[in-house]
Amino acid sequence: MKKWQKIVGVVLVLAVVAAALAYTFRTDLILWGVKNRDLPAIAAETPEINWEQGPEEAVQPAGERPPNVILILADDLGINDISTFGGGVAGGLVPTPNIDRLAAEGVNFTNGYAGNATCSPSRAMLMTGRYATSTGFEFTPTPASMGRVVSSVSGDIRPDLPSGVFNSEAADLRPPYEDQGLPSEEVTVAEMLAGKGYHNIHIGKWHLGVSEEMDALGQGFDESLNMSEGLYLPEDSPDVVNAKVEFDPIDRFLWASQRFAGSFNRSELFAPGGYLTDWWTDEAVEAIEANKNRPFFMYVGHWAPHTPLQATREDYEAVGDIKPHRLRVYAAMIRALDRSVGQILDKLEEEGLADNTVVIFSSDNGGAGYIGLPEVNAPYRGWKLTLFEGGVRVPYMMRWPAGIPAGQTIEQPVTHIDIFRTIASMTGAQLPDRKIDGVDLLPVASGRGPIERADDAIYWQSGTYWAVRAGDWKFQIDQHQNKSWLFNLADDPTEQVNLVEREPEMAARLLGLLNEHHKDRELLYPSTTLMPAMIDKTLADQYEEGDELIYWPN
């Protein structure tokens, strides 16, 4: 054999070995590429946040001017994480006394529903009072690369699950990430209240667009302390305890892609001043101080307890020896979230603002199955990324001592789109000249009458997966699988018995409502991924043939 032939042979062998290694470790290589991509710098020093100061003296006493409004939104909070409902995280080992206090001192809507089973669409409905069928904003803004990466690594990390679908043609039709979000033509709560003279403050997660037309400042807020990246503290901080969820492709992606960074009023990125939940709370307290002499609207969009799971070491030690490790970290995150609510309520009391401040607390959707904690949504079936009760049933509490009697429990179903019209009613703000899908909850909260809603129906949708609750009946259809579910929630609140074959007339009626609801729907941009989500198992469990699942579009 000639020398050049030997060299070619060696090169070919090395190429084959390299290709085999690259294929074997392709997930690690992809995530390494994500982690080491070119990114803007983050200033190490945290600047002082200089909130705009309101008048030194109030023109009107606090009780005579329009009420302040504070909306506190958790992220992926399970209904069973709140001790108000008889449970509490880790079997009740970590109670939530401050969130419980809010419910006890106001109205607790025990059939409270998120606008969607995932983040951004719910937030859009909260901000506008309109369904995605009205705004066209149906899918969470994501870079095309994220859909490709998550789809690529999911099969490697979870080969037991049916394959997801990535639609590259739809991805090509989707605008760049910078152009995805809630259109500036929509009118937000902040824009509505600005017309009434309110000072509007955003703190935390926004996730409705990053351009200047669609970020919080572009959508009616006067000031915005924005979550720019997804770590609560640096991964290697001595003050943090991390819990990585190795069986979850999204968690793997988050640890690879996210950093510890924030911005204020579109500033350059900087390191936040502490653990995100605590730091945002400290700044919310400062902003209340700055605005105590004028009407203000404050939207506190907490990231907790969304992954990546990170807690302060102090909270981790305080909750005790809870197992498994990720549950202990999660419990510590809930402790910090509850403390945040308490500090905000205490500041209102301190400043004499509590009586005439509306405080609303909810979550963008139900708890996530991909963290592998089976009790977060108990006793309900399903998780975030499903339209079963576990995915959309959320805490929904409202306190306004000057306008709502304390200690009420209301069982009529309510949903996120109702908050917009309710705030307008409470503040006397003028509704925008367009269709508002939500209803006013003030009459039922103040004891003046029941909720009146067209067809007594609440709707959810994400691409090819739709659901409706009308009265006690709830119908879901996953068009990708051509599968439907029908439940009578009065008899079966945890959705155990599918009545779709026994009650064909009811199923047909509810499908008719869904078709009518969607008849004029125009999406801003298409879904690019369809990912399987198990209904009755967390992602810590192995998928087995016959397990029920849905396909979630985004």
Side-chain angles (χ1 to χ4, degrees), residues 124-166:
M125 291 182 219
L126 275 167
M127 285 291 116
T128 65
R130 285 155 57 84
Y131 282 118
T133 47
S134 296
T135 65
F137 185 79
E138 194 156 313
F139 307 117
T140 297
T142 50
S145 59
M146 180 176 177
R148 288 188 175 94
V149 168
V150 173
S151 298
S152 297
V153 304
S154 292
D156 293 339
I157 296 171
R158 293 308 304 262
D160 56 309
L161 281 169
S163 298
V165 177
F166 178 74

Side-chain angles (χ1 to χ4, degrees), residues 12-33:
L12 286 174
V13 169
L14 290 174
V16 169
V17 171
L21 287 171
Y23 182 80
T24 302
F25 297 103
R26 60 190 179 277
T27 292
D28 293 325
L29 289 170
I30 290 170
L31 294 177
W32 181 89

Side-chain angles (χ1 to χ4, degrees), residues 450-461:
I451 297 168
E452 295 184 3
R453 196 187 303 274
D455 297 312
D456 198 18
I458 293 172
Y459 300 92
W460 300 270
Q461 69 279 330

Side-chain angles (χ1 to χ4, degrees), residues 2 10 28 93 116 153 172 277 279 314 334 373 381 396 402 405 417 427 456 472 494 498 516 531 539 545:
K2 295 181 179 180
V10 169
D28 293 325
L93 291 176
N116 198 283
V153 304
D172 291 338
T277 307
W279 183 58
E314 181 179 349
I334 299 296
L373 301 176
R381 289 182 79 190
Y396 200 118
I417 57 168
T427 60
D456 198 18
D472 291 328
T494 59
N498 187 358
E516 179 68 19
M531 299 301 292
L539 212 53
E545 193 68 33

Side-chain angles (χ1 to χ4, degrees), residues 113-386:
Y113 286 103
N116 198 283
T118 191
C119 168
S120 297
S122 274
R123 293 165 195 270
M125 291 182 219
L126 275 167
M127 285 291 116
T128 65
R130 285 155 57 84
Y131 282 118
T133 47
S134 296
T135 65
F137 185 79
E138 194 156 313
F139 307 117
T140 297
T142 50
S145 59
M146 180 176 177
R148 288 188 175 94
V149 168
V150 173
S151 298
S152 297
V153 304
S154 292
D156 293 339
I157 296 171
R158 293 308 304 262
D160 56 309
L161 281 169
S163 298
V165 177
F166 178 74
N167 186 332
S168 57
E169 292 181 5
D172 291 338
L173 295 174
R174 201 158 176 161
Y177 173 67
E178 293 75 16
D179 297 330
Q180 297 175 36
L182 183 69
S184 59
E185 295 78 17
E186 293 296 330
V187 178
T188 66
V189 175
E191 289 169 311
M192 176 180 70
L193 291 177
K196 186 73 174 174
Y198 277 70
H199 185 76
N200 298 310
I201 305 151
H202 161 252
I203 296 173
K205 185 173 179 178
W206 177 245
H207 215 180
L208 294 176
V210 297
S211 72
E212 291 193 0
E213 293 76 27
M214 292 185 286
D215 68 7
L217 296 178
Q219 296 279 26
F221 287 89
D222 300 292
E223 302 179 273
S224 174
L225 181 59
N226 190 49
M227 171 184 148
S228 303
E229 298 263 0
L231 293 187
Y232 294 81
L233 276 174
E235 183 180 346
D236 59 356
S237 167
D239 299 322
V240 76
V241 179
N242 305 308
K244 295 186 177 182
V245 186
E246 296 293 339
F247 49 75
D248 173 31
I250 294 175
D251 192 71
R252 297 277 296 274
F253 178 83
L254 287 174
W255 283 106
S257 65
Q258 296 303 295
R259 301 181 297 167
F260 183 56
S263 64
F264 181 58
N265 293 344
R266 299 182 184 142
S267 70
E268 297 297 317
L269 298 182
F270 57 81
Y275 182 70
L276 283 186
T277 307
D278 292 333
W279 183 58
W280 287 341
T281 304
D282 292 342
E283 291 300 333
V285 167
E286 291 295 324
I288 291 170
E289 172 77 27
N291 290 279
K292 62 186 177 182
N293 291 325
R294 62 179 172 187
F296 65 84
F297 168 53
M298 179 183 291
Y299 170 36
V300 183
H302 274 302
W303 184 220
H306 196 294
T307 52
L309 299 181
Q310 292 186 289
T312 64
R313 190 165 298 280
E314 181 179 349
D315 283 327
Y316 181 80
E317 296 298 336
V319 299
D321 188 20
I322 296 171
K323 295 193 178 349
H325 172 69
R326 65 179 179 274
L327 177 57
R328 182 171 177 178
V329 172
Y330 184 83
M333 296 171 76
I334 299 296
R335 184 175 190 264
L337 177 66
D338 183 71
R339 179 171 61 246
S340 171
V341 173
Q343 288 175 301
I344 290 171
L345 295 180
D346 289 346
K347 182 61 176 177
L348 294 173
E349 295 281 357
E350 177 187 324
E351 298 296 341
L353 300 175
D355 280 355
N356 202 30
T357 297
V358 179
V359 181
I360 301 168
F361 179 83
S362 191
S363 176
D364 61 345
N365 44 252
Y370 52 71
I371 58 176
L373 301 176
E375 301 300 322
V376 292
N377 297 324
Y380 302 108
R381 289 182 79 190
W383 322 96
K384 174 187 179 180
L385 306 179
T386 82

